[in-house]
């Protein structure tokens, strides 16, 4: 069962990402990306990471992609403008770079011994366990992320502000 | 069908990362380029979560949450810049911003 | 496969409950607004002279909506135009899956829960699903290729993203008290004592959550995405027929779910005031008899009242006999119930029956509370005027969000001092 689910969701994820790259219309790209985020959340759930899976939907599908679609609607692009987009001259090289990186990663990954996933503790992936780890072992990175978010908020406000002077 | 191993997940995340990379290079639409960067971040998240399952620790989940926070900041700032650029040039094609070129 | 069957039933029954609530709420909205504005409200549609005080009107509405012409604007983006109402409705429905309807019971080491999905991240799941409800509205607004619709979509997305924050932060104090993200734990912690319910324990969080819920469901005073005086009808201006009906239903489903959430989180969920689950289970027989006797007496009284109202030639057609047609069966049913109780009321109940009677009473209490909360939504809609857009944003970002954060600190201090 889990095997089938993995193949179904990974197929959906990869296919929607490819579609996203090929679509001319940014809204269509964004919708494809939302679907791929959902199937990624399902993959996280298959990996017993329920907390991260729900956060994936909450943060990516619920906030980041809404922001993207909001900006696309705000800019309200004309159709003609979208259609004249040319593919980069680097396309060929891009694919070569992508395949090269992929094969390099494969070489590295297959150094990891091939074992099936072991047994896990019942509390694995719950909010309690992740939170415990986040606020003890990773307390300093957590604070730094907080500062990063603050900087992000200030930066976004400054960028989005209309010039008043 | 064989049982799912860590390799399946790692291959999937490598594939997603490379697709995101190709997308960033190939596309000229700034918004889609930003989306491709999000895909790359998600690929990293998948690796983290898969390895967390492999090593049976919550560390990977914590890292995945940190990556999400960074992705949110990146999206907010990136979209702010896109809006600023659009106000100046009335375009979101990366090709139209060559004025900085010497 | 009884396990699978039970799971499927647990999924279907909440859906059935939601979709019976929708026409009921449409009726309540029309009749309630009529009483608030001092007019009789819908009372014309009739089947064989039976009007049920306007309850026949939703049937007429449905028939009308189904047979209207389904128009798709020529410049619209077809795929998204068709998908948007489906997204709106389906996203609205899935939230109900985690809401507990009654106390779970244990039988032969087997826990039976009255919720479709016992997630250990229930509260986050709800926040995630409510944050998705914006997609239907945004895609509808964008794909219609209409300026009013686009403005409505933009407004709703900005509004929902802003109020989600306040909503999420308002829930954190509850999670802090219960130490769990499961909705059932939050309800159990509130116990049957009314003063332990969260609206007394966390009044500020309750107020913030209710205001944010109004904004999330796009109801007045925050119905700017569809403000008819400014945007014609906002995001669904181009929709007609069943697609419009789906948006309409999605609005009411959202309202039911928001009410159910408010009840679950702040008003004790399935807890019956002053009657804990154990007491209910022990005295199931007596309570069942009392409930049945009271409902029988009520049926008899209402039936007699209706029969006494009978007067010939008010309308001069079948509608004159409506009170008789409804009154006599009510009286008969009441007397039959009392006779039934006299003969069979003393037979001792089995344990399963006791458990199920408790569950049914709790489900009834929960639904009654939800219905009352829905009435509050309607009440507010017909009492308060619409806010201006800048007021809406100021309220969300400058008042509710800081207040919610302060509330978290206050709760932390209270937990320390306790």
């Amino acid at each position: 069962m889990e095997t089938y689910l993995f193949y179904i969701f990974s197929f959906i994820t990869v296919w929607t990402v490819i579609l996203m790259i090929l679509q001319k219309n940014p809204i269509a790209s964004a919708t494809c990306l939302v679907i791929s985020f959902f199937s990624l959340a399902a993959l996280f759930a298959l990996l017993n990471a329920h907390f991260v899976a729900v956060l994936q939907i909450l943060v990516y599908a619920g906030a980041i992609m809404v922001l993207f679609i909001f900006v696309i609607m705000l800019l309200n692009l004309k159709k003609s403008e979208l259609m004249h987009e040319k593919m980069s001259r680097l396309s060929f090289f891009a694919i070569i770079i992508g395949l090269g990186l992929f094969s390099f990663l494969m070489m590295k990954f297959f150094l990891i011994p091939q074992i099936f996933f072991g047994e896990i503790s019942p509390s694995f992936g719950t909010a309690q366990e992740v939170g415990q780890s986040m606020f003890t072992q990773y307390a300093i990175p957590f604070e730094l992320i907080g500062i990063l978010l603050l900087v992000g908020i200030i930066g976004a406000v400054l960028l989005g502000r209309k010039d008043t002077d | 069908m064989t049982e799912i191993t860590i390799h399946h997940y790692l291959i999937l995340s490598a594939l997603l990362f490379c697709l995101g990379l190709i997308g960033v290079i190939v596309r000229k639409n700034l918004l889609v380029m930003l989306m491709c960067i999000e895909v790359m971040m998600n690929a990293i998240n998948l690796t983290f979560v898969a390895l967390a399952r492999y090593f049976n620790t919550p560390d990977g989940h914590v890292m995945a949450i940190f990556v999400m926070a960074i992705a949110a900041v990146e999206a907010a700032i990136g979209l702010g810049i896109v809006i600023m650029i659009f106000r100046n040039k009335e375009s979101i094609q990366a090709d139209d911003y060559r004025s900085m070129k010497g | 496969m009884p396990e699978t069957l039970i799971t499927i039933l647990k999924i279907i029954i909440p859906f059935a409950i939601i979709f019976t609530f929708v026409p009921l709420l449409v009726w309540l909205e029309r009749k309630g607004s009529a009483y608030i504005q001092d007019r009789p409200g819908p009372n014309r549609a009739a089947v064989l002279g039976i009007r049920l005080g306007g309850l026949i009107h939703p049937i007429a509405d449905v028939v009308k909506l189904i047979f209207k012409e389904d128009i798709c604007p020529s410049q619209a983006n077809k795929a998204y135009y068709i998908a948007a109402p489906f997204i709106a409705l389906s996203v609205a429905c899935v939230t109900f899956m985690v809401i507990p309807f009654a106390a779970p019971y244990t039988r032969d080491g087997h826990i039976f829960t009255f919720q479709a999905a016992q997630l250990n991240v229930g509260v986050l799941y709800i926040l995630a699903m409510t944050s998705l409800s914006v997609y239907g509205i945004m895609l509808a607004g964008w794909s219609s290729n209409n300026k009013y619709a686009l403005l409505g979509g933009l407004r709703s997305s900005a509004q929902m993203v802003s109020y989600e924050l306040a909503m999420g932060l308002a829930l954190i104090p509850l999670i802090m008290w219960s130490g769990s993200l499961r909705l059932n734990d939050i309800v159990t912690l509130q116990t049957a004592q009314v003063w332990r319910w969260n609206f007394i324990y966390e009044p500020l969080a309750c107020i913030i959550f209710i205001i944010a819920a109004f904004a999330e469901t796009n109801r007045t005073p925050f119905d700017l995405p569809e403000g008819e005086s400014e945007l014609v009808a906002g995001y669904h201006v181009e929709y007609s027929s069943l697609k419009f009906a789906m948006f309409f239903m999605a609005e009411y489903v959202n309202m039911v779910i928001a009410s159910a959430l408010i009840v679950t989180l702040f008003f004790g969920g399935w807890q019956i005031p002053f009657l804990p689950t154990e007491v209910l289970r022990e005295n199931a027989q007596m309570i069942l008899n009392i409930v049945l006797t009271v409902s029988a007496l009520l049926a008899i009284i209402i039936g007699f009242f209706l029969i006494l109202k009978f007067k010939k030639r008010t309308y001069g057609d079948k509608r004159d006999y409506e009170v008789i047609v409804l009154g006599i069966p009510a009286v008969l049913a009441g007397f039959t119930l009392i006779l039934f109780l006299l003969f069979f009321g003393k037979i001792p109940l089995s344990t399963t029956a006791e458990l199920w009677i408790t569950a049914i009473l709790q489900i009834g209490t929960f639904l009654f509370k939800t219905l009352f909360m829905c009435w509050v939504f309607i009440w507010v809609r017909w009492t308060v005027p619409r806010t201006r857009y800048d007021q809406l944003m100021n309220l969300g970002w400058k008042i509710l969000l800081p207040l919610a954060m302060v509330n978290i600190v206050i709760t932390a201090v209270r937990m320390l001092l306790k």
Side-chain angles (χ1 to χ4, degrees), chain A residues 13-56:
Chain A
T13 315
V14 173
W15 183 242
T16 46
V17 167
I18 292 171
L19 268 184
M20 181 206 83
I21 296 170
L22 296 179
Q23 293 280 352
K24 290 266 184 224
N25 188 338
I27 291 250
S29 295
T31 328
C32 287
L33 197 54
V34 172
I35 299 169
S36 92
F37 284 159
F38 264 98
S39 46
L40 263 174
L43 286 174
F44 290 167
L46 276 181
L47 285 166
N48 288 60
H50 297 114
F51 184 58
V52 180
V54 177
L55 276 187
Q56 166 90 4

Side-chain angles (χ1 to χ4, degrees), chain C residues 24-51:
Chain C
L24 196 64
L25 282 181
V26 175
W27 171 76
L28 199 66
E29 174 112 51
R30 296 181 70 180
K31 211 71 180 169
S33 67
Y35 280 116
I36 288 171
Q37 295 172 346
D38 204 10
R39 57 189 169 83
N43 59 2
R44 294 299 159 100
V47 176
L48 299 173
I50 293 171
R51 298 168 298 167

Side-chain angles (χ1 to χ4, degrees), chain C residues 43-186:
Chain C
N43 59 2
R44 294 299 159 100
V47 176
L48 299 173
I50 293 171
R51 298 168 298 167
L52 290 171
L55 258 178
I56 302 296
H57 268 262
I59 298 172
D61 278 344
V62 170
V63 173
K64 179 197 77 176
L65 282 168
I66 288 173
F67 286 104
K68 277 213 167 180
E69 189 189 353
D70 196 359
I71 300 164
C72 183
S74 57
Q75 293 298 308
N77 191 327
K78 288 253 165 30
Y80 291 104
Y81 184 81
I82 294 168
F86 287 93
I87 295 172
L89 189 58
S90 51
V91 165
C93 291
V94 286
T95 319
F96 231 61
M97 294 297 112
V98 290
I99 290 178
F101 282 87
Y105 67 77
T106 320
R107 197 92 201 283
D108 312 327
H110 216 78
I111 299 172
F112 189 89
T113 54
F114 288 87
Q115 69 195 106
Q118 170 78 288
L119 294 183
N120 52 15
V121 283
V123 176
L124 282 178
Y125 173 85
I126 283 168
L127 288 176
M129 288 304 143
T130 48
S131 70
L132 292 180
S133 63
V134 67
Y135 278 107
I137 294 174
M138 277 168 88
L139 288 178
W142 177 78
S143 66
S144 308
N145 210 349
N146 175 316
K147 286 200 170 53
Y148 290 123
L150 185 71
L151 276 174
L154 274 176
R155 279 184 173 191
S156 79
S157 49
Q159 175 180 332
M160 286 192 171
V161 170
S162 314
Y163 276 80
E164 242 158 54
L165 294 170
M167 199 172 183
L169 287 177
L171 289 182
I172 288 179
L174 307 192
I175 300 169
M176 285 160 77
W177 284 118
S178 67
S180 164
L181 289 169
R182 288 166 190 264
L183 283 171
N184 203 28
D185 292 355
I186 293 177

Side-chain angles (χ1 to χ4, degrees), chain C residues 346-411:
Chain C
K346 291 282 185 282
I347 296 172
L349 295 164
S350 65
T351 330
T352 323
E354 276 174 5
L355 290 173
W356 275 93
I357 285 162
T358 316
I360 287 165
L361 283 174
Q362 283 174 340
I363 292 171
T365 318
F366 176 73
L367 292 181
F368 179 77
K369 284 181 191 171
T370 309
L371 197 62
F372 180 77
M373 209 57 223
C374 289
W375 166 246
V376 172
F377 270 75
I378 290 164
W379 193 358
V380 169
R381 171 166 178 187
W382 295 96
T383 314
V384 184
R386 185 181 301 140
T387 55
R388 230 171 39 225
Y389 200 70
D390 59 321
Q391 290 170 335
L392 172 84
M393 284 295 155
N394 280 345
L395 179 70
W397 287 102
K398 294 186 186 163
I399 299 173
L400 293 187
L401 192 63
L403 270 182
M405 285 182 185
V406 168
N407 195 26
I408 293 171
V409 178
I410 293 172
T411 312

Side-chain angles (χ1 to χ4, degrees), chain A residues 60-145:
Chain A
Y60 276 108
I64 295 180
M65 290 321 291
V66 172
L67 203 61
F68 268 100
I69 297 183
F70 182 76
V71 168
I72 295 167
M73 280 165 69
L74 196 71
L75 300 181
N76 202 9
L77 302 161
K78 301 284 171 297
K79 259 202 181 124
S80 55
E81 198 177 328
L82 296 172
M83 288 309 156
H84 85 250
E85 179 186 346
K86 289 188 289 284
M87 286 292 164
S88 169
R89 275 164 296 161
L90 295 172
S91 294
F92 181 66
F93 295 102
I95 291 165
I96 287 179
I97 291 170
L99 287 178
L101 182 66
F102 184 66
S103 39
F104 174 74
L105 288 173
M106 283 304 94
M107 269 157 56
K108 289 288 171 195
F109 283 163
F110 277 98
L111 297 180
I112 301 172
Q114 167 113 16
I115 5 174
F116 301 110
F117 288 125
E119 286 297 306
I120 43 161
S121 50
S123 69
F124 180 80
T126 55
Q128 281 87 349
E129 207 189 44
V130 177
Q132 196 79 42
S133 178
M134 187 151 49
F135 292 118
T136 52
Q137 200 182 347
Y138 294 96
I140 294 168
F142 179 77
E143 297 294 330
L144 290 177
I145 289 284

Side-chain angles (χ1 to χ4, degrees), chain B residues 18-67:
Chain B
C18 295
L19 278 174
L21 185 70
I22 293 172
V24 172
I25 302 174
V26 166
R27 289 300 300 257
K28 293 289 181 68
N29 188 326
L30 283 177
L31 288 164
V32 180
M33 285 164 82
L34 278 175
M35 286 182 209
C36 289
I37 296 174
E38 299 291 338
V39 170
M40 289 161 80
M41 292 213 175
N42 262 291
I44 297 165
N45 264 355
L46 186 60
T47 319
F48 274 132
V49 174
L51 287 173
R53 174 80 172 72
Y54 182 74
F55 292 118
N56 192 8
T57 55
D59 301 7
H61 296 179
V62 177
M63 284 300 160
I65 292 166
F66 287 168
V67 171

